[in-house]
Amino acid sequence: RLRGSRVRLLRGASHTPMIERGTDLAAILRAEAVLAQPTPTRRDYVHDFVPPSDAAVRAAAGALRPLRRLVSPVFFCTDARGHRTPGLASVPAPTREDGSARPLLFVGNHQLFGTTDVPLLV
């Protein structure tokens, strides 16, 4: 259980209570005073980050070795002419030649259950 959390039992609800006609999420939030809770102390996830140990990285890589043999992530991007190319070499720079910012749209394909994404993270 999360520290400071409470369990709210929704009697008669099925496994999808938020889309059922009789569930009023706004009323639940008001009754539980969720929005009146004090704002938690903000954390600096960048400065507080502690990298994993070499042993932890090796253990995770070893655990994922069978999955990496089964699935191997492949990256494709579209170049300026609209041609699909393997790799990430055609991803444009986030700034133009004159230094001005430009928008970039990254689109990812998350596979069933996300299991093929895990090797990308280790």
Side-chain angles (χ1 to χ4, degrees):
R1 225 168 98 165
L2 295 173
R3 184 179 60 221
S5 67
R6 292 186 301 267
V7 174
R8 172 72 180 244
L9 181 62
L10 302 175
R11 297 204 187 278
S14 70
H15 68 284
T16 56
M18 292 300 130
I19 61 172
E20 291 180 358
R21 190 172 290 226
T23 303
D24 184 354
L25 181 59
I28 293 170
L29 293 175
R30 280 191 299 275
E32 295 296 331
V34 170
L35 302 177
Q37 299 286 332
T39 304
T41 306
R42 293 189 59 104
R43 291 189 55 195
D44 186 340
Y45 291 99
V46 174
H47 289 100
D48 295 343
F49 176 72
V50 178
S53 67
D54 289 341
V57 172
R58 281 192 301 276
L64 290 170
R65 195 167 290 120
L67 184 60
R68 278 188 171 270
R69 285 191 194 123
L70 180 64
V71 294
S72 178
V74 178
F75 295 96
F76 291 93
C77 57
T78 305
D79 63 17
R81 296 173 309 204
H83 296 112
R84 196 173 9 202
T85 59
L88 299 175
S90 295
V91 173
T95 55
R96 295 183 179 97
E97 290 180 14
D98 65 1
S100 62
R102 68 192 216 169
L104 292 178
L105 174 64
F106 292 95
V107 178
N109 179 11
H110 295 273
Q111 303 298 321
L112 183 64
F113 305 125
T115 55
T116 57
D117 291 342
V118 175
L120 297 174
L121 304 174
V122 176

